[in-house]
Amino acid sequence: MSESKSAATAAYRPETRLIHSGVLRSQFNETSEALFLTQGFVYDTAEQCEARFKGEDPGFLYSRFSNPNISMFERRMCELEGAEAARAAATGMAAVTTAILAPLRSGDHVVAAKAMFGSCRYVVEDLLPRYGIASTLVDGLDLEQWRKAMRPNTRTCFLESPTNPTLDVLDIAAIAEIAHQAGARLIVDNVFATPLWQSPLQLGADVVVYSATKHIDGQGRCLGGIILSSNDFIQEHIHNFMRQTGPSMSPFNAWTLVKGLETLAIRVRQQTQTAATIADALAQHPKISRLIYPGRADHPQAALVKKQMRAGSTLIGFEVKGGKAAAFRFLNGLKLSRISNNLGDARSLVTHPATTTHQRLTPEARGELGISEGFIRFSAGLEHVDDLIEDMHAALENA
Ligand SMILES: *Cc1c(COP(=O)(O)O)cnc(C)c1O
Protein backbone atom coordinates (compact mmCIF):
# COMPACT_ATOMS: atom_id res chain seq x y z
CA MET A 1 0.00 0.00 0.00
CA SER A 2 1.43 3.34 -0.95
CA GLU A 3 0.41 6.88 -0.41
CA SER A 4 -0.70 8.67 -3.51
CA LYS A 5 1.77 11.07 -5.10
CA SER A 6 -0.80 13.73 -4.42
CA ALA A 7 -1.01 12.99 -0.68
CA ALA A 8 0.28 16.47 0.14
CA THR A 9 -2.47 18.41 -1.54
CA ALA A 10 -2.84 21.21 0.98
CA ALA A 11 -1.71 23.77 -1.58
CA TYR A 12 -4.65 23.00 -3.86
CA ARG A 13 -8.14 24.44 -3.82
CA PRO A 14 -10.99 22.52 -2.14
CA GLU A 15 -12.37 21.02 -5.40
CA THR A 16 -8.97 19.49 -6.15
CA ARG A 17 -8.43 18.22 -2.62
CA LEU A 18 -11.87 16.57 -2.69
CA ILE A 19 -10.60 14.32 -5.50
CA HIS A 20 -6.97 13.76 -4.59
CA SER A 21 -6.45 14.04 -0.83
CA GLY A 22 -5.59 11.02 1.26
CA VAL A 23 -5.60 8.37 -1.47
CA LEU A 24 -3.95 5.09 -0.46
CA ARG A 25 -3.26 2.83 -3.45
CA SER A 26 -2.72 -0.92 -3.21
CA GLN A 27 -0.06 -2.81 -5.18
CA PHE A 28 -2.50 -2.87 -8.14
CA ASN A 29 -2.42 0.90 -8.57
CA GLU A 30 -6.19 1.11 -9.04
CA THR A 31 -7.70 4.39 -10.30
CA SER A 32 -10.63 4.53 -7.92
CA GLU A 33 -10.10 3.85 -4.23
CA ALA A 34 -10.23 0.13 -3.42
CA LEU A 35 -12.65 -1.21 -0.83
CA PHE A 36 -10.97 -2.84 2.16
CA LEU A 37 -13.92 -4.69 3.63
CA THR A 38 -11.96 -6.43 6.36
CA GLN A 39 -12.29 -6.60 10.13
CA GLY A 40 -8.60 -7.10 10.71
CA PHE A 41 -5.11 -7.50 9.28
CA VAL A 42 -2.47 -10.25 9.37
CA TYR A 43 1.17 -9.81 10.26
CA ASP A 44 4.27 -11.28 8.63
CA THR A 45 5.87 -12.14 11.97
CA ALA A 46 5.07 -12.11 15.66
CA GLU A 47 7.69 -9.36 16.01
CA GLN A 48 5.87 -7.18 13.49
CA CYS A 49 2.59 -7.78 15.30
CA GLU A 50 4.19 -6.79 18.60
CA ALA A 51 5.70 -3.66 17.07
CA ARG A 52 2.37 -2.68 15.57
CA PHE A 53 0.55 -3.03 18.90
CA LYS A 54 3.27 -0.92 20.51
CA GLY A 55 2.72 1.74 17.84
CA GLU A 56 6.26 1.29 16.50
CA ASP A 57 5.19 -0.16 13.14
CA PRO A 58 2.86 2.12 11.21
CA GLY A 59 0.29 -0.36 9.89
CA PHE A 60 -3.33 -1.21 10.45
CA LEU A 61 -4.43 -3.38 13.38
CA TYR A 62 -8.15 -3.81 13.52
CA SER A 63 -10.94 -1.93 11.80
CA ARG A 64 -12.43 -0.74 15.07
CA PHE A 65 -9.23 1.35 15.42
CA SER A 66 -8.42 2.11 11.81
CA ASN A 67 -8.74 0.81 8.26
CA PRO A 68 -7.44 2.05 4.89
CA ASN A 69 -10.89 3.28 3.79
CA ILE A 70 -11.53 5.07 7.06
CA SER A 71 -8.05 6.55 6.91
CA MET A 72 -8.65 7.87 3.37
CA PHE A 73 -11.92 9.45 4.48
CA GLU A 74 -10.31 11.05 7.56
CA ARG A 75 -7.39 12.45 5.58
CA ARG A 76 -9.55 13.85 2.82
CA MET A 77 -11.75 15.56 5.41
CA CYS A 78 -8.72 16.88 7.32
CA GLU A 79 -7.30 18.54 4.24
CA LEU A 80 -10.65 20.00 3.27
CA GLU A 81 -11.28 21.36 6.75
CA GLY A 82 -7.72 22.44 7.50
CA ALA A 83 -7.60 20.15 10.56
CA GLU A 84 -4.55 18.31 11.86
CA ALA A 85 -6.38 15.12 12.78
CA ALA A 86 -9.77 13.43 12.62
CA ARG A 87 -11.67 10.34 13.70
CA ALA A 88 -14.58 9.00 11.71
CA ALA A 89 -17.59 7.65 13.57
CA ALA A 90 -20.54 5.41 12.75
CA THR A 91 -23.04 8.28 12.63
CA GLY A 92 -23.18 12.01 13.10
CA MET A 93 -24.58 11.45 16.57
CA ALA A 94 -21.71 9.08 17.45
CA ALA A 95 -19.34 11.92 16.45
CA VAL A 96 -21.24 14.58 18.42
CA THR A 97 -21.65 12.39 21.52
CA THR A 98 -17.98 11.37 21.48
CA ALA A 99 -16.69 14.91 20.89
CA ILE A 100 -18.77 16.27 23.77
CA LEU A 101 -18.58 13.39 26.25
CA ALA A 102 -15.10 11.91 25.83
CA PRO A 103 -13.10 14.88 27.23
CA LEU A 104 -15.46 15.50 30.19
CA ARG A 105 -15.83 14.11 33.66
CA SER A 106 -18.40 14.51 36.38
CA GLY A 107 -18.32 17.99 37.86
CA ASP A 108 -17.70 19.65 34.48
CA HIS A 109 -20.11 22.08 32.87
CA VAL A 110 -21.23 22.56 29.26
CA VAL A 111 -22.84 25.59 27.63
CA ALA A 112 -24.76 25.09 24.39
CA ALA A 113 -26.98 27.10 22.09
CA LYS A 114 -30.51 25.84 22.53
CA ALA A 115 -31.31 25.83 18.81
CA MET A 116 -29.82 22.54 17.70
CA PHE A 117 -30.56 19.17 16.16
CA GLY A 118 -32.98 17.28 18.43
CA SER A 119 -30.60 14.43 19.33
CA CYS A 120 -27.74 16.86 20.12
CA ARG A 121 -30.11 18.61 22.50
CA TYR A 122 -30.89 15.25 24.14
CA VAL A 123 -27.17 14.61 24.70
CA VAL A 124 -26.58 18.02 26.29
CA GLU A 125 -29.85 18.41 28.18
CA ASP A 126 -30.71 14.84 29.28
CA LEU A 127 -27.68 12.56 28.95
CA LEU A 128 -24.80 14.64 30.36
CA PRO A 129 -26.55 15.55 33.66
CA ARG A 130 -27.05 11.83 34.37
CA TYR A 131 -23.26 11.54 34.63
CA GLY A 132 -22.83 14.61 36.78
CA ILE A 133 -22.06 16.99 33.91
CA ALA A 134 -24.22 20.08 34.22
CA SER A 135 -25.37 21.99 31.17
CA THR A 136 -26.78 25.42 30.45
CA LEU A 137 -28.71 26.21 27.29
CA VAL A 138 -28.52 29.77 25.99
CA ASP A 139 -30.03 31.77 23.15
CA GLY A 140 -27.05 31.34 20.81
CA LEU A 141 -27.61 34.74 19.17
CA ASP A 142 -27.21 36.59 22.48
CA LEU A 143 -23.48 36.89 23.31
CA GLU A 144 -24.33 38.27 26.77
CA GLN A 145 -26.10 34.99 27.59
CA TRP A 146 -22.97 33.02 26.57
CA ARG A 147 -20.81 35.26 28.79
CA LYS A 148 -23.14 34.95 31.77
CA ALA A 149 -23.41 31.17 31.44
CA MET A 150 -19.64 30.58 31.81
CA ARG A 151 -18.56 29.04 35.13
CA PRO A 152 -15.11 28.15 36.46
CA ASN A 153 -15.83 24.48 35.59
CA THR A 154 -17.13 25.18 32.04
CA ARG A 155 -15.07 22.94 29.74
CA THR A 156 -17.07 22.83 26.53
CA CYS A 157 -19.27 25.13 24.49
CA PHE A 158 -21.34 23.62 21.71
CA LEU A 159 -23.26 25.19 18.85
CA GLU A 160 -24.47 24.58 15.35
CA SER A 161 -24.68 27.29 12.70
CA PRO A 162 -26.79 27.78 10.68
CA THR A 163 -29.15 26.28 13.23
CA ASN A 164 -31.58 23.46 12.57
CA PRO A 165 -34.25 24.15 11.47
CA THR A 166 -34.62 27.92 11.77
CA LEU A 167 -31.32 28.81 10.04
CA ASP A 168 -30.11 31.41 12.48
CA VAL A 169 -26.42 32.20 12.08
CA LEU A 170 -24.33 32.34 15.27
CA ASP A 171 -21.13 34.36 15.62
CA ILE A 172 -18.52 31.58 15.81
CA ALA A 173 -15.50 33.89 16.26
CA ALA A 174 -17.14 35.84 19.10
CA ILE A 175 -18.38 32.72 20.88
CA ALA A 176 -14.96 31.05 20.51
CA GLU A 177 -13.42 34.06 22.21
CA ILE A 178 -15.90 33.92 25.09
CA ALA A 179 -15.25 30.19 25.48
CA HIS A 180 -11.47 30.62 25.43
CA GLN A 181 -11.55 33.45 27.96
CA ALA A 182 -13.37 31.06 30.30
CA GLY A 183 -10.85 28.28 29.61
CA ALA A 184 -13.36 26.22 27.61
CA ARG A 185 -13.24 24.75 24.10
CA LEU A 186 -15.77 25.40 21.34
CA ILE A 187 -17.22 22.49 19.35
CA VAL A 188 -19.13 23.43 16.18
CA ASP A 189 -21.59 21.15 14.42
CA ASN A 190 -21.03 22.34 10.85
CA VAL A 191 -23.55 20.14 9.05
CA PHE A 192 -25.81 22.89 7.73
CA ALA A 193 -22.96 25.04 6.42
CA THR A 194 -20.94 22.13 4.93
CA PRO A 195 -17.11 22.31 4.85
CA LEU A 196 -17.43 24.22 1.59
CA TRP A 197 -19.16 27.32 2.94
CA GLN A 198 -17.83 27.64 6.49
CA SER A 199 -14.55 26.75 8.22
CA PRO A 200 -15.13 26.91 11.99
CA LEU A 201 -11.49 26.08 12.87
CA GLN A 202 -10.35 29.18 10.97
CA LEU A 203 -12.93 31.22 12.89
CA GLY A 204 -11.48 30.08 16.21
CA ALA A 205 -13.42 26.91 17.04
CA ASP A 206 -11.41 24.03 18.50
CA VAL A 207 -13.38 21.07 17.18
CA VAL A 208 -15.69 20.55 14.18
CA VAL A 209 -18.16 17.69 13.89
CA TYR A 210 -20.20 16.50 10.92
CA SER A 211 -22.96 14.11 10.19
CA ALA A 212 -21.52 12.73 6.94
CA THR A 213 -24.98 11.22 6.40
CA LYS A 214 -26.04 14.57 4.96
CA HIS A 215 -24.21 16.45 2.18
CA ILE A 216 -21.02 14.39 2.36
CA ASP A 217 -22.78 11.23 1.26
CA GLY A 218 -25.36 13.36 -0.49
CA GLN A 219 -27.16 10.45 -2.09
CA GLY A 220 -29.00 9.01 0.88
CA ARG A 221 -27.00 5.79 1.13
CA CYS A 222 -25.22 5.55 4.45
CA LEU A 223 -24.76 6.99 7.90
CA GLY A 224 -21.47 8.44 9.05
CA GLY A 225 -19.86 11.10 11.19
CA ILE A 226 -16.49 12.70 11.83
CA ILE A 227 -14.67 14.72 14.49
CA LEU A 228 -11.91 17.09 13.29
CA SER A 229 -9.50 18.99 15.51
CA SER A 230 -5.87 19.43 16.52
CA ASN A 231 -3.57 16.43 16.92
CA ASP A 232 -3.47 17.10 20.65
CA PHE A 233 -7.24 17.08 21.10
CA ILE A 234 -7.70 13.90 19.04
CA GLN A 235 -4.84 12.09 20.77
CA GLU A 236 -5.68 13.21 24.28
CA HIS A 237 -9.45 12.91 24.23
CA ILE A 238 -10.80 11.03 21.23
CA HIS A 239 -8.34 8.37 20.09
CA ASN A 240 -8.59 6.03 23.07
CA PHE A 241 -12.27 6.62 23.69
CA MET A 242 -13.17 5.61 20.11
CA ARG A 243 -10.74 2.72 20.06
CA GLN A 244 -11.98 1.23 23.32
CA THR A 245 -15.71 2.00 23.14
CA GLY A 246 -16.14 1.32 19.41
CA PRO A 247 -18.52 3.83 17.76
CA SER A 248 -16.45 3.23 14.61
CA MET A 249 -17.35 3.80 10.97
CA SER A 250 -17.81 0.81 8.68
CA PRO A 251 -15.11 0.57 5.95
CA PHE A 252 -17.88 0.26 3.37
CA ASN A 253 -19.46 3.51 4.53
CA ALA A 254 -16.03 5.18 4.54
CA TRP A 255 -15.52 4.09 0.93
CA THR A 256 -18.96 5.40 -0.07
CA LEU A 257 -18.32 8.72 1.70
CA VAL A 258 -14.93 9.13 0.00
CA LYS A 259 -16.70 8.77 -3.34
CA GLY A 260 -19.30 11.25 -2.06
CA LEU A 261 -16.58 13.79 -1.31
CA GLU A 262 -15.46 13.71 -4.96
CA THR A 263 -18.74 15.34 -5.98
CA LEU A 264 -19.39 17.38 -2.81
CA ALA A 265 -18.36 20.75 -4.22
CA ILE A 266 -20.31 20.45 -7.44
CA ARG A 267 -23.43 19.18 -5.62
CA VAL A 268 -23.39 21.71 -2.77
CA ARG A 269 -22.76 24.61 -5.15
CA GLN A 270 -25.71 23.60 -7.35
CA GLN A 271 -27.99 22.91 -4.35
CA THR A 272 -27.10 26.30 -2.86
CA GLN A 273 -27.93 28.05 -6.12
CA THR A 274 -31.23 26.15 -6.34
CA ALA A 275 -32.10 27.02 -2.71
CA ALA A 276 -31.32 30.70 -3.35
CA THR A 277 -33.52 30.76 -6.47
CA ILE A 278 -36.41 29.04 -4.65
CA ALA A 279 -36.06 31.35 -1.64
CA ASP A 280 -36.42 34.37 -3.93
CA ALA A 281 -39.38 32.78 -5.74
CA LEU A 282 -41.26 32.03 -2.49
CA ALA A 283 -40.33 35.00 -0.29
CA GLN A 284 -43.28 37.16 -1.36
CA HIS A 285 -45.78 34.32 -1.80
CA PRO A 286 -49.14 35.27 -0.21
CA LYS A 287 -49.43 31.88 1.56
CA ILE A 288 -46.02 32.20 3.22
CA SER A 289 -45.79 34.39 6.32
CA ARG A 290 -42.03 34.17 6.92
CA LEU A 291 -39.06 32.84 4.95
CA ILE A 292 -35.49 32.48 6.20
CA TYR A 293 -32.58 31.91 3.88
CA PRO A 294 -28.99 32.71 4.92
CA GLY A 295 -28.15 33.92 1.41
CA ARG A 296 -30.79 36.66 1.33
CA ALA A 297 -30.31 40.30 2.32
CA ASP A 298 -33.36 40.05 4.64
CA HIS A 299 -31.81 37.26 6.75
CA PRO A 300 -31.71 38.49 10.38
CA GLN A 301 -27.91 37.99 10.54
CA ALA A 302 -27.13 38.90 6.94
CA ALA A 303 -23.95 40.82 7.86
CA LEU A 304 -22.62 37.88 9.84
CA VAL A 305 -23.41 35.49 6.99
CA LYS A 306 -21.22 37.67 4.75
CA LYS A 307 -18.42 37.71 7.30
CA GLN A 308 -18.31 34.08 8.32
CA MET A 309 -19.72 32.05 5.40
CA ARG A 310 -18.64 31.77 1.77
CA ALA A 311 -22.21 31.24 0.56
CA GLY A 312 -25.76 30.77 1.84
CA SER A 313 -27.14 27.32 2.39
CA THR A 314 -28.76 24.38 0.67
CA LEU A 315 -31.66 24.75 3.13
CA ILE A 316 -34.58 27.15 3.39
CA GLY A 317 -36.99 27.62 6.31
CA PHE A 318 -40.48 29.03 5.84
CA GLU A 319 -43.80 29.28 7.57
CA VAL A 320 -46.98 28.38 5.71
CA LYS A 321 -49.98 30.47 6.78
CA GLY A 322 -52.64 28.35 8.50
CA GLY A 323 -50.62 26.28 10.97
CA LYS A 324 -50.18 22.52 10.97
CA ALA A 325 -53.21 21.77 8.77
CA ALA A 326 -51.96 24.08 6.01
CA ALA A 327 -48.39 22.82 6.37
CA PHE A 328 -49.57 19.22 6.03
CA ARG A 329 -51.73 20.10 2.98
CA PHE A 330 -48.64 21.69 1.43
CA LEU A 331 -46.43 18.66 2.17
CA ASN A 332 -49.05 16.20 0.92
CA GLY A 333 -49.57 18.25 -2.22
CA LEU A 334 -45.93 18.11 -3.32
CA LYS A 335 -45.23 15.69 -6.17
CA LEU A 336 -41.47 16.14 -6.53
CA SER A 337 -39.99 17.14 -3.19
CA ARG A 338 -40.31 14.19 -0.82
CA ILE A 339 -41.35 14.23 2.83
CA SER A 340 -38.35 13.07 4.84
CA ASN A 341 -36.33 14.01 7.90
CA ASN A 342 -32.99 13.79 6.06
CA LEU A 343 -31.26 16.68 4.27
CA GLY A 344 -28.42 17.37 1.86
CA ASP A 345 -29.68 14.66 -0.51
CA ALA A 346 -29.79 14.64 -4.33
CA ARG A 347 -33.58 14.57 -3.89
CA SER A 348 -35.26 17.67 -2.56
CA LEU A 349 -36.65 16.85 0.88
CA VAL A 350 -39.21 18.62 3.03
CA THR A 351 -39.61 18.28 6.79
CA HIS A 352 -42.21 19.45 9.30
CA PRO A 353 -39.93 19.92 12.33
CA ALA A 354 -42.71 20.41 14.91
CA THR A 355 -44.01 16.86 14.41
CA THR A 356 -40.70 15.12 13.57
CA THR A 357 -37.17 16.26 14.44
CA HIS A 358 -38.36 18.58 17.22
CA GLN A 359 -41.51 16.75 18.43
CA ARG A 360 -39.67 15.81 21.65
CA LEU A 361 -39.64 19.46 22.74
CA THR A 362 -42.55 21.09 24.57
CA PRO A 363 -44.65 23.54 22.53
CA GLU A 364 -43.10 26.35 24.65
CA ALA A 365 -39.54 25.22 23.81
CA ARG A 366 -40.49 25.04 20.14
CA GLY A 367 -42.05 28.50 20.37
CA GLU A 368 -38.82 29.88 21.82
CA LEU A 369 -36.93 28.51 18.84
CA GLY A 370 -39.40 29.86 16.30
CA ILE A 371 -40.53 26.38 15.24
CA SER A 372 -44.22 27.09 14.68
CA GLU A 373 -46.84 24.57 13.57
CA GLY A 374 -46.66 25.95 10.04
CA PHE A 375 -42.86 25.86 9.80
CA ILE A 376 -41.28 23.83 6.97
CA ARG A 377 -37.63 23.00 6.34
CA PHE A 378 -36.73 22.53 2.69
CA SER A 379 -33.50 20.85 1.57
CA ALA A 380 -32.69 21.60 -2.06
CA GLY A 381 -31.78 18.61 -4.22
CA LEU A 382 -30.32 18.39 -7.70
CA GLU A 383 -33.57 18.48 -9.70
CA HIS A 384 -34.15 21.33 -12.16
CA VAL A 385 -35.03 24.40 -10.15
CA ASP A 386 -38.03 25.29 -12.33
CA ASP A 387 -39.61 21.86 -11.75
CA LEU A 388 -39.18 22.35 -8.00
CA ILE A 389 -40.68 25.85 -8.04
CA GLU A 390 -43.67 24.73 -10.14
CA ASP A 391 -44.24 21.81 -7.75
CA MET A 392 -44.08 24.11 -4.70
CA HIS A 393 -46.34 26.73 -6.24
CA ALA A 394 -48.93 24.06 -7.07
CA ALA A 395 -48.78 22.64 -3.54
CA LEU A 396 -49.10 26.13 -2.02
CA GLU A 397 -52.22 26.78 -4.12
CA ASN A 398 -53.94 23.94 -2.27
CA ALA A 399 -52.47 24.67 1.15
C1 LIG B 1 -28.31 14.81 11.07
C2 LIG B 1 -27.62 15.67 12.00
C3 LIG B 1 -26.92 15.12 13.08
C4 LIG B 1 -26.90 13.64 13.37
O1 LIG B 1 -26.35 12.88 12.34
P1 LIG B 1 -26.67 11.34 12.08
O2 LIG B 1 -25.72 10.94 11.01
O3 LIG B 1 -28.11 11.24 11.67
O4 LIG B 1 -26.44 10.61 13.37
C5 LIG B 1 -26.26 16.00 13.93
N1 LIG B 1 -26.29 17.34 13.73
C6 LIG B 1 -26.97 17.90 12.70
C7 LIG B 1 -26.97 19.38 12.54
C8 LIG B 1 -27.65 17.09 11.80
O5 LIG B 1 -28.32 17.64 10.79
Side-chain angles (χ1 to χ4, degrees):
M1 167 114 12
S2 64
E3 263 182 39
S4 144
K5 268 191 275 185
S6 55
T9 55
Y12 295 112
R13 291 163 186 83
E15 289 78 359
T16 309
R17 291 186 219 164
L18 282 166
I19 313 285
H20 292 284
S21 291
V23 174
L24 293 170
R25 289 209 162 83
S26 79
Q27 72 272 31
F28 300 116
N29 241 351
E30 59 280 350
T31 309
S32 172
E33 295 78 357
L35 172 55
F36 297 91
L37 207 50
T38 179
Q39 298 158 333
F41 303 85
V42 295
Y43 313 97
D44 295 332
T45 61
E47 287 78 7
Q48 184 191 42
C49 183
E50 181 187 24
R52 210 164 283 181
F53 268 80
K54 279 186 176 164
E56 291 163 2
D57 184 65
F60 294 99
L61 278 171
Y62 190 56
S63 291
R64 168 149 48 78
F65 313 164
S66 62
N67 165 287
N69 290 115
I70 297 168
S71 195
M72 286 189 250
F73 175 60
E74 290 170 345
R75 290 214 213 163
R76 198 166 287 186
M77 284 298 298
C78 274
E79 289 202 16
L80 180 63
E81 196 69 43
E84 286 173 4
R87 286 293 180 277
T91 65
M93 281 321 302
V96 170
T97 307
T98 301
I100 294 179
L101 191 61
L104 301 181
R105 55 198 64 220
S106 98
D108 288 346
H109 175 239
V110 172
V111 181
K114 65 178 83 156
M116 60 181 142
F117 188 72
S119 300
C120 298
R121 187 152 167 168
Y122 164 80
V123 169
V124 171
E125 206 175 16
D126 295 12
L127 186 73
L128 294 183
R130 281 209 246 149
Y131 299 93
I133 301 161
S135 61
T136 305
L137 295 183
V138 297
D139 173 353
L141 292 168
D142 184 347
L143 296 179
E144 207 38 48
Q145 286 197 26
W146 285 98
R147 272 186 213 107
K148 287 206 177 110
M150 296 295 152
R151 301 180 193 166
N153 59 337
T154 306
R155 299 278 171 266
T156 295
C157 295
F158 179 78
L159 65 84
E160 70 182 55
S161 182
T163 61
N164 176 34
T166 47
L167 307 178
D168 280 322
V169 173
L170 310 192
D171 191 335
I172 295 174
I175 296 163
E177 205 181 308
I178 294 168
H180 295 160
Q181 272 169 8
R185 69 181 68 85
L186 175 64
I187 304 177
V188 174
D189 180 338
N190 205 36
V191 166
F192 274 45
T194 82
L196 226 55
W197 298 152
Q198 181 169 273
S199 302
L201 297 178
Q202 285 167 25
L203 295 165
D206 304 279
V207 183
V208 182
V209 289
Y210 287 100
S211 164
T213 313
K214 312 295 167 54
H215 304 85
I216 292 173
D217 175 18
Q219 294 170 71
R221 297 162 296 193
C222 50
L223 297 158
I226 190 161
I227 306 165
L228 300 119
S229 185
S230 64
N231 246 328
D232 285 351
F233 179 83
I234 297 289
Q235 284 309 323
E236 189 182 337
H237 298 297
I238 304 300
H239 176 76
N240 243 343
F241 184 97
M242 301 244 1
R243 182 173 168 148
Q244 312 299 358
T245 65
S248 323
M249 177 176 275
S250 134
F252 180 78
N253 287 3
W255 177 82
T256 310
L257 295 168
V258 159
K259 303 314 286 178
L261 284 176
E262 289 182 356
T263 57
L264 180 75
I266 195 166
R267 284 185 285 106
V268 167
R269 189 166 285 127
Q270 181 59 51
Q271 287 167 320
T272 302
Q273 199 179 319
T274 296
T277 307
I278 293 174
D280 288 343
L282 296 188
Q284 306 305 329
H285 195 285
K287 295 214 169 153
I288 289 178
S289 46
R290 181 167 69 102
L291 180 140
I292 313 151
Y293 180 66
R296 274 174 62 87
D298 61 2
H299 186 277
Q301 297 89 38
L304 185 57
V305 171
K306 270 220 170 97
K307 196 174 104 189
Q308 117 180 350
M309 299 181 72
R310 290 180 283 270
S313 171
T314 65
L315 293 130
I316 310 168
F318 55 88
E319 196 173 64
V320 179
K321 282 183 195 164
K324 179 179 167 184
F328 273 29
R329 280 195 299 275
F330 169 70
L331 292 179
N332 293 336
L334 289 167
K335 293 202 168 66
L336 208 46
S337 298
R338 306 314 307 259
I339 302 167
S340 175
N341 43 310
N342 199 10
L343 60 97
D345 197 90
R347 285 154 196 74
S348 291
L349 301 175
V350 277
T351 308
H352 185 248
T355 54
T356 59
T357 52
H358 291 71
Q359 53 88 17
R360 200 182 65 83
L361 299 182
T362 61
E364 296 73 46
R366 279 198 295 272
E368 250 178 34
L369 297 174
I371 305 171
S372 64
E373 296 288 309
F375 193 84
I376 305 273
R377 184 187 78 192
F378 174 81
S379 166
L382 293 170
E383 302 93 342
H384 195 288
V385 65
D386 293 343
D387 288 333
L388 292 171
I389 290 173
E390 284 162 22
D391 187 34
M392 290 171 96
H393 274 151
L396 280 169
E397 277 314 304
N398 302 316

